[in-house]
Amino acid sequence: MTMVGCQSTPQKRIAKNEASFAAMSPAAQAAIREGRVEIGFTPEQVELARGKPARVVRRTTAQGEEQSWIYERRGSRLGVGLGVGGGSGGVGGGVGVSSGGRAPNIAYVVHFAGGVVRSVEDYGR
């Protein structure tokens, strides 16, 4: 279960890294405050804007190492179902509970190459 009060926000992350944030360009600061990631951002800037990723995937290519930071949606994927039925003189019922399965719940992916953001995938809400 995710507790709203415990979630990190750009403002909380900025407050913990004020000196670093102050040294960034006004455009980068505005994007970070809004939680946006821009092409050319460093890993530090992405972490200020979005927080720590749920997973990091590394690839080695002819051009060097690339990384993808994967952010997942927060919140419960718990589902509950209730059914009641009858017929031919009988009555039955059932309850089902699901954890949402093992499918990834990807919200945002940031791709780095050469130590900076090269592309961003935003899967929306």
Side-chain angles (χ1 to χ4, degrees):
M1 177 186 295
T2 302
M3 296 175 58
V4 174
C6 296
Q7 291 180 0
S8 179
T9 65
Q11 291 72 26
K12 289 179 183 177
R13 293 186 293 269
I14 290 166
K16 292 179 182 178
N17 297 283
E18 288 180 9
S20 177
F21 180 76
M24 295 176 190
S25 72
Q29 289 179 0
I32 290 167
R33 278 190 199 99
E34 295 172 13
R36 287 186 293 112
V37 173
E38 300 289 339
I39 303 300
F41 266 24
T42 64
E44 178 185 29
Q45 290 170 315
V46 173
E47 197 167 318
L48 281 172
R50 301 294 298 195
K52 293 189 183 295
R55 291 181 285 149
V56 175
V57 177
R58 291 176 176 79
R59 279 179 296 288
T60 302
T61 69
Q63 291 75 36
E65 183 180 280
E66 298 177 358
Q67 288 187 8
S68 295
W69 288 13
I70 301 170
Y71 293 85
E72 296 180 353
R73 285 184 180 79
R74 293 188 172 123
S76 174
R77 294 192 299 164
L78 181 65
V80 177
L82 174 63
V84 177
S88 297
V91 176
V95 175
V97 178
S98 170
S99 66
R102 296 182 51 91
N105 200 10
I106 296 172
Y108 206 80
V109 181
V110 180
H111 302 281
F112 292 92
V116 296
V117 174
R118 293 293 182 215
S119 66
V120 176
E121 297 174 54
D122 185 348
Y123 292 94
R125 295 189 177 252

